[in-house]
Amino acid sequence: MTDPRPTEIAAVNPADVRALADAEANGAPFLHWRTDGGLQQIHVLADDRWRVTIGRRPESDIALSWDPEVSRAHALLEYVGGQWTVVDDGLSSNGSFINGARVVTRQRLHDRDRLCFGQTYVVYREPLDPEKSDSTVRATGGAASLPLSETQRKILIALCRPVSESSFATPATNKQIAEELFLSIDAVKAHLRVLFERFGVDELPQNEKRARLAARVLIDGVLKPRDF
């Protein structure tokens, strides 16, 4: 079964991407979604509050009041045994979905699960906790320590230049990068695919990768103001 006409989540501007990056850096699990007006919302899940309500009622912890297919009391998130779960045991009329599959009673959440309530997508994030991970998971040097070829560095500079000049700008397109660096568009695409993977954004939705890559490069100090 597929999700019932979900609204796609996408970080459409650098400010949204930075907000997501800040939430990830905080380390606590969180949810993010968009209102019917396209505004990004982030809800941090605190360990000391083990139940979160989701529904159309304004008093819900996560109030999806604009979505007519969301029930007044639709679903719950519960913290059980150190894990966040979704509970929908008949509260909703139209059901709750995780990655396209309907939730039956209770289901555990995993990082990047895509929940659907009515027509609204909500993404669950569970950032890596360094204290709970083993030493083989990502070096502590971070993105700033990743070696880059000269061409990769030039592509990142061209990609991020508009964002460095205005927080409301979007990263450069493949065509703009190709024209600036005298490369073919196919060459730019090939280099970006490598960069998406190296900076850990290759599994994101296609329309989110470029903005997230630019944000990580700037926030992690891979490029400095003097580079522009």
Side-chain angles (χ1 to χ4, degrees), residues 1-102:
M1 181 178 293
T2 58
D3 301 286
R5 301 190 303 281
T7 300
E8 182 71 22
I9 283 189
V12 296
N13 61 62
D16 285 348
V17 176
R18 289 192 181 97
L20 286 177
D22 289 345
E24 289 176 356
N26 183 52
F30 67 93
L31 304 168
H32 69 97
W33 67 97
R34 291 191 180 278
T35 68
D36 59 337
L39 297 178
Q40 178 173 268
Q41 303 292 308
I42 294 176
H43 182 98
V44 177
L45 297 169
D47 288 345
D48 59 353
R49 186 172 184 184
W50 58 275
R51 174 175 287 185
V52 175
T53 60
I54 301 170
R56 204 171 70 249
R57 292 185 299 192
E59 60 267 29
S60 299
D61 297 315
I62 297 178
L64 310 177
S65 56
W66 63 86
D67 191 332
E69 294 188 16
V70 171
S71 298
R72 289 173 59 79
H74 195 101
L76 298 172
L77 298 185
E78 287 188 344
Y79 192 63
V80 179
Q83 303 290 337
W84 281 98
T85 63
V86 175
V87 181
D88 188 334
D89 52 3
L91 282 175
S92 66
S93 299
N94 296 316
S96 303
F97 298 80
I98 298 180
N99 303 323
R102 187 161 187 160

Side-chain angles (χ1 to χ4, degrees), residues 184-201:
S184 69
I185 292 179
D186 285 341
V188 171
K189 289 180 177 178
H191 281 293
L192 282 175
R193 282 195 293 269
V194 174
L195 290 167
F196 289 152
E197 182 176 357
R198 295 185 69 185
F199 283 87
V201 300

